Amino acid sequence: MNHQELLTNIPAQKRFVYSKLLTLLKKEQLSEVVIMSAFITMEGIYLILNELKELLNNQVRVVIITGFMNDFNNPRVLEFLFGLKNLELRISKNVGFHPKLYWVKTYSGECSFIIGSSNLTNNALRKNVETNLYSEYQWDEIIPQQIQELYNQVIEQSEPLSAVRLTEYKQKFVSTQAKYITASSESPLFEPNSM
């Protein structure tokens, strides 16, 4: 098995990380899907929303783990995901949570993943210059076992998103955005120098 492929976005050749991600989410007999992404946008979710809903409707375990790094994730995105029935949405307690991993397992023991630089955003999956590795393995091989160990550590250092935690993050996000807007409007675009 052990098929491997380098993934990047080359729009002129109609090659996108997104295409391989869709293939991954449409595999037959999926038992579990794990997405670890530091940054998630609504546009990124829309790219895979139909597949996510179908997986959830078919009782496939879907886990998305993200975080609050740099207050990047818009609370509306988290609120939307929070509302998807059967989706397990977890927030990392690690301030430096920054992985990008898309991982699926099948009932027959196959394990496939995309790991690299692409967050769950439209730009990362379709536009930006990204470097990702796509790999397929049998579940009992060393790489899937190492990914499972990483996943176990991340799960231990995360918590399910709760309504209370979401409300707290919304307040922090709004405060951060207000500070950013204030700082931007107060600093001049150009400052004269001695010339």
Side-chain angles (χ1 to χ4, degrees):
M1 192 168 169
N2 291 14
H3 169 74
Q4 294 187 328
E5 182 181 346
L6 183 66
L7 303 179
T8 191
N9 296 311
I10 308 174
Q13 297 177 13
K14 299 198 184 316
R15 290 179 56 199
F16 307 101
V17 177
Y18 156 73
S19 303
K20 186 57 86 170
L21 178 56
L22 281 189
T23 302
L24 209 61
L25 297 176
K26 291 179 179 180
K27 276 187 171 258
E28 296 290 319
Q29 299 295 311
L30 288 180
S31 60
E32 186 173 7
V33 172
V34 174
I35 296 173
M36 291 187 214
S37 180
F39 306 135
I40 302 175
T41 62
M42 210 61 230
E43 293 82 6
I45 292 297
Y46 285 150
L47 290 175
I48 62 170
L49 185 57
N50 290 335
E51 288 71 25
L52 281 181
K53 285 183 174 179
E54 188 171 337
L55 290 165
L56 293 168
N57 287 338
N58 291 329
Q59 305 301 310
V60 175
R61 182 174 187 227
V62 179
V63 182
I64 296 181
I65 309 170
T66 189
F68 298 146
M69 185 176 187
N70 299 335
D71 300 328
F72 175 88
N73 290 327
N74 191 308
R76 284 180 285 180
V77 174
L78 300 175
E79 201 165 38
F80 178 82
L81 291 171
F82 189 65
L84 290 178
K85 188 178 177 186
N86 298 326
L87 176 71
E88 188 177 333
L89 178 60
R90 301 184 68 89
I91 301 298
S92 175
K93 297 176 192 173
N94 187 324
V95 176
F97 185 79
H98 201 244
K100 293 94 178 157
L101 171 68
Y102 305 85
W103 175 36
V104 303
K105 293 190 271 185
T106 68
Y107 287 109
S108 61
E110 294 174 14
C111 175
S112 304
F113 62 86
I114 297 169
I115 190 167
S117 65
S118 292
N119 280 294
L120 185 48
T121 69
N122 181 51
N123 285 344
L125 295 174
R126 298 188 349 147
K127 297 177 183 178
N128 295 347
V129 176
E130 303 278 348
T131 52
N132 299 279
L133 182 66
Y134 171 78
S135 295
E136 297 174 352
Y137 289 93
Q138 285 299 315
W139 177 241
D140 58 357
E141 294 181 75
I142 187 67
I143 296 296
Q145 295 304 309
Q146 289 176 338
I147 289 177
Q148 180 68 51
E149 287 173 20
L150 170 66
Y151 171 73
N152 292 343
Q153 290 171 9
V154 170
I155 285 290
E156 284 179 21
Q157 297 169 356
S158 70
E159 62 189 1
L161 181 63
S162 66
V164 171
R165 191 79 170 95
L166 181 55
T167 299
E168 291 171 354
Y169 178 64
K170 278 184 193 176
Q171 292 168 350
K172 186 172 186 282
F173 181 84
V174 168
S175 172
T176 301
Q177 294 299 307
K179 285 179 191 172
Y180 175 74
I181 291 167
T182 302
S184 296
S185 62
E186 288 177 356
S187 35
L189 292 175
F190 301 102
E191 290 186 16
N193 61 23
S194 59
M195 294 300 287

